[in-house]
């Protein structure tokens, strides 16, 4: 039996038509068979996975109560700390780092009964849009091995799309869940900033980073959200609000829902075939009863440049801790401590990470702080106000997730071309609001992603509209043939 959805497998597990151990073994066999081509995993935790699966089967046979994800195999991006399991951020500087504690999300998933299959590849420290910046190797797109899976959570997206894992978690600072979800044809959700604990997530840009799920469908997305959201006193930015049961929003009805189409996200810079697909989806939603209207988010064009000041500024500070002293790589035979610091950082960090540390250090340095960093913060506020205003009128907004479908390896060698991958996703992180990418059809045989954007803690509306489209369209559930990997 193929791995499919959480909700499908949950019933099979509950009825004992399959055991957690059998399911885990199937997933591990699939990884063994195809991951030398997909390369989604940095570490496979085979022994641990089988052990946890056996424990779950034993509990079930004793009639003990089990969590809502009991027996479901999943994968975590390799920037989430897992106690006693290597956590590298796909960086040479952390190639040997074994955390002494686990990220809150991992604890929560274990508590829900989920089984960790392994840690997935990413752009080094989550900086990139293709996994080509991984310090180890790039991941391939299961739809076409010559194409990137997107990034930075490319390994998680590819693992779910190829059926290696039932679901996975990624992190999204400027698009790193939604863009790879779009490229690989799976559902990806970046929750509201503060809705999922960042405790144990290795920081890139702390005011933007947020953890979220990759799943095969919208129902699974709601199920994983139920497991990972909630207040956590170990994360000072965690929001103390009431978190709903997200499955409540899985209703096939969007009658009178007000949907805004921000004109700045269409036209120049967006591939015409991708735009045509998005417009097709919008028409479908209108047919289903939504009230659709064009709108404007006038500061959109300033979001990308502001992000490339704020994110590097925060990363230059966050990455100062990798000095070879406490953990990770340390070069041998340095003459003194200063040369040990600088040679460790020189050897341990890749070119994109170094670029951002330098950009950020520059933007924060005295004399430039006001001109760059403070100004970027002001722009961030304007971008947020655009959204606040739009949500006075609309329940949700729709845009493309990415300007194109997945591209070939090496085809975005120009740094700015790569940065532009995130034009449609970055403004959402600056505003701290949630957005969901839903697959919608193919262009040149590669998946397209539709982005639903909601107001803070408005994930419910996003799930509702995505679920309704999913139930009424044959374009939202996509599966690659995996021809090239069999
Ligand atoms: N591609 C963007 C960057 O490189 C976003 C990455 C992310 O969301 N982690 O910064």
């Amino acid at each position: 039996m193929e791995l499919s959805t959480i909700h499908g497998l949950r019933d099979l597990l509950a009825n004992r038509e399959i055991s957690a151990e059998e399911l885990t073994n199937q997933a591990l066999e699939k990884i063994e068979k195809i991951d030398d081509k997909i390369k989604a995993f940095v570490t496979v935790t085979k022994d641990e996975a089988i052990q946890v699966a056996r424990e779950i089967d034993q509990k079930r046979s004793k009639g003990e109560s089990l969590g809502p994800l009991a027996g479901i195999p999943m994968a975590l991006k390799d920037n989430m700390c897992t106690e006693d399991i290597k956590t590298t951020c796909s960086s040479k500087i952390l190639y040997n780092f074994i955390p002494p504690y686990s990220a809150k999300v991992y604890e929560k998933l274990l508590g829900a009964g989920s089984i960790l299959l392994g840690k997935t590849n990413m752009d080094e420290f989550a900086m990139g849009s293709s996994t080509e910046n991984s310090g180890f190797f790039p991941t391939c797109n299961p739809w076409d091995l010559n194409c990137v899976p997107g990034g930075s959570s490319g390994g998680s997206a590819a693992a779910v799309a190829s059926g290696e894992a039932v679901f996975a978690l990624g992190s999204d600072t400027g698009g790193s869940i939604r863009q790879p979800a779009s490229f690989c044809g799976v559902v990806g959700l970046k929750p509201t900033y503060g809705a999922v604990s960042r405790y144990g997530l290795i920081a890139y840009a702390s005011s933007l980073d947020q953890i979220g799920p990759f799943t095969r469908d919208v129902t699974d997305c709601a199920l994983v959200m139920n497991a990972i959201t909630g207040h956590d006193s170990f994360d000072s930015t965690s929001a103390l609000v009431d978190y709903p049961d997200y499955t409540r929003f899985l209703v096939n009805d969007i009658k009178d829902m007000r949907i805004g189409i921000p004109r700045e996200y269409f036209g120049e810079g967006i591939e015409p075939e991708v735009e045509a697909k998005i417009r097709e989806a919008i028409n479908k939603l209108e047919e289903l009863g939504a009230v659709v209207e064009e709108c404007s988010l006038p500061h959109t064009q300033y979001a990308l440049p502001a992000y490339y000041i704020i994110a590097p500024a925060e990363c230059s500070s966050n990455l100062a801790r990798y000095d070879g002293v406490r953990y990770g790589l340390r070069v041998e035979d340095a003459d003194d401590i200063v040369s040990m610091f600088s040679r460790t950082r020189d050897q341990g960090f890749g070119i994109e990470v170094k670029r951002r540390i330098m950009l950020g250090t520059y933007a924060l340095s005295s004399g430039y702080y006001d001109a760059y960093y403070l100004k970027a913060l002001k722009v961030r506020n304007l971008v947020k106000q655009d959204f606040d205003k739009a949500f006075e009128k609309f329940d949700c907004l729709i845009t493309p997730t990415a300007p194109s479908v997945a591209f070939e390896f090496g085809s975005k060698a120009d740094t700015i071309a790569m940065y532009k991958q995130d034009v449609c996703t970055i403004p959402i992180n600056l505003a701290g609001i949630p957005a969901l990418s839903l697959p919608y059809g193919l262009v040149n045989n590669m998946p397209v992603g539709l982005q639903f954007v909601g107001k803070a803690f408005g994930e419910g509306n996003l799930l509702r509209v995505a679920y309704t489209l999913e139930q009424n369209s044959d374009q939202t559930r996509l599966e690659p043939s995996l021809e090239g990997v069999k």
Side-chain angles (χ1 to χ4, degrees):
M1 190 202 350
E2 279 288 305
L3 286 175
S4 57
T5 56
I6 300 174
H7 53 97
L9 290 165
R10 219 173 37 171
D11 294 342
L12 293 181
L13 285 158
N15 299 333
R16 306 207 192 176
E17 286 170 54
I18 188 168
S19 70
E21 187 174 348
E22 282 163 348
L23 193 57
T24 303
N25 274 324
Q26 279 175 13
L28 290 166
E29 274 161 28
K30 183 140 193 186
I31 293 170
E32 207 151 284
K33 195 161 139 216
I34 68 172
D35 208 52
D36 60 332
K37 301 238 173 55
I38 306 276
K39 302 201 188 99
F41 286 86
V42 173
T43 303
V44 177
T45 49
K46 184 174 175 182
D47 297 341
E48 293 92 334
I50 292 173
Q51 195 195 326
V52 175
R54 282 187 185 150
E55 284 165 17
I56 291 190
D57 286 334
Q58 270 169 14
K59 276 191 183 171
R60 197 184 297 277
S61 68
K62 284 191 206 146
E64 287 177 28
S65 76
L66 290 167
L69 299 176
I72 304 291
M74 56 85 189
L76 294 178
K77 185 177 182 178
D78 209 19
N79 59 353
M80 295 170 213
C81 285
T82 41
E83 187 177 347
D84 295 335
I85 297 167
K86 217 161 59 173
T87 299
T88 67
C89 270
S90 291
S91 178
K92 293 200 173 80
I93 212 155
L94 286 178
Y95 77 105
N96 60 355
F97 174 56
I98 298 180
Y101 70 99
S102 289
K104 189 68 183 188
V105 284
Y106 180 43
E107 280 179 5
K108 284 193 158 213
L109 288 179
L110 282 182
S114 192
I115 296 164
L116 178 70
L117 296 167
K119 307 293 294 289
T120 57
N121 194 30
M122 53 187 280
D123 287 294
E124 183 178 8
F125 283 102
M127 298 173 196
S129 305
S130 68
T131 74
E132 289 168 294
N133 295 340
S134 166
F136 306 138
F137 47 78
T139 297
C140 299
N141 191 310
W143 288 81
D144 179 346
L145 299 179
N146 297 314
C147 291
V148 304
S152 65
S153 318
S156 286
V160 174
S162 65
E164 291 176 318
V166 181
F167 76 93
L169 295 188
S171 66
D172 190 313
T173 306
S176 279
I177 293 174
R178 293 159 287 159
Q179 184 255 19
S182 164
F183 279 15
C184 292
V186 296
V187 177
L189 172 64
K190 182 204 90 75
T192 307
Y193 185 78
V196 178
S197 170
R198 290 184 297 108
Y199 178 70
L201 170 71
I202 297 180
Y204 159 21
S206 313
S207 78
L208 300 158
D209 298 342
Q210 189 61 194
I211 294 173
F214 287 95
T215 57
R216 294 238 172 77
D217 66 10
V218 179
T219 302
D220 277 8
C221 182
L223 291 170
V224 179
M225 282 294 283
N226 276 353
I228 62 173
T229 52
H231 178 251
D232 176 19
S233 57
F234 283 73
D235 171 0
S236 62
T237 61
S238 171
L240 192 52
V241 297
D242 281 334
Y243 294 90
D245 171 359
Y246 292 95
T247 59
R248 268 204 299 123
F249 300 100
L250 302 174
V251 278
N252 183 358
D253 176 18
I254 49 163
K255 209 167 161 351
D256 299 330
M257 192 178 210
R258 297 161 306 165
I259 297 181
I261 312 297
R263 68 174 75 94
E264 290 79 6
Y265 287 73
F266 293 83
E268 204 198 320
I270 307 295
E271 267 181 22
E273 297 92 330
V274 170
E275 172 160 348
K277 270 282 160 208
I278 304 301
R279 297 225 179 253
E280 190 186 313
I282 294 169
N283 288 340
K284 181 82 198 173
L285 289 165
E286 212 165 4
E287 266 173 43
L288 292 167
V291 182
V292 177
E293 200 184 306
E294 200 183 68
C295 66
S296 173
L297 300 168
H299 297 94
T300 301
Q301 59 170 313
Y302 305 112
L304 193 78
Y307 172 89
Y308 277 102
I309 300 287
I310 295 168
E314 293 186 24
C315 102
S316 70
S317 164
N318 276 327
L319 272 59
R321 72 192 68 171
Y322 306 107
D323 53 10
V325 175
R326 283 159 296 179
Y327 36 65
L329 177 75
R330 178 187 298 172
V331 292
E332 306 276 316
D333 62 46
D335 296 335
D336 54 35
I337 190 149
V338 174
S339 84
M340 193 279 283
F341 285 166
S342 67
R343 284 180 47 212
T344 296
R345 286 168 71 82
D346 181 36
Q347 284 183 27
F349 288 137
I351 182 162
E352 185 61 27
V353 173
K354 286 177 184 160
R355 186 194 333 267
R356 300 210 189 179
I357 292 173
M358 285 192 279
L359 271 175
T361 307
Y362 180 80
L364 289 176
S365 55
S366 108
Y368 295 106
Y369 183 92
D370 289 0
Y372 294 108
Y373 183 66
L374 265 190
K375 193 165 179 184
L377 290 186
K378 288 179 188 160
V379 171
R380 179 177 190 170
N381 212 20
L382 293 172
V383 169
K384 183 176 175 300
Q385 284 170 9
D386 280 356
F387 283 109
D388 289 345
K389 210 152 165 223
F391 288 120
E392 284 172 12
K393 186 160 180 199
F394 299 106
D395 300 308
C396 103
L397 307 175
I398 292 185
T399 78
T401 303
S404 69
V405 294
F407 46 86
E408 288 189 7
F409 286 103
S411 66
K412 298 266 187 286
D414 165 25
T415 307
I416 302 293
M418 189 67 92
Y419 290 1
K420 283 188 176 164
Q421 270 307 306
D422 300 303
V423 275
C424 303
T425 46
I426 275 175
I428 284 92
N429 299 74
L430 291 179
I433 54 182
L436 182 150
S437 180
L438 180 77
Y440 197 82
L442 303 174
V443 162
N444 300 328
N445 278 323
M446 297 302 278
V448 175
L450 183 63
Q451 178 172 245
F452 298 97
V453 185
K455 60 175 156 217
F457 301 100
E459 281 85 353
N461 266 340
L462 307 183
L463 291 166
R464 178 172 148 210
V465 60
Y467 181 78
T468 303
L469 189 56
E470 188 182 57
Q471 297 304 306
N472 292 284
S473 164
D474 55 6
Q475 308 235 23
T476 62
R477 266 181 256 211
L478 308 175
E479 215 172 305
S481 70
L482 295 178
E483 281 285 91
V485 297
K486 280 184 183 146

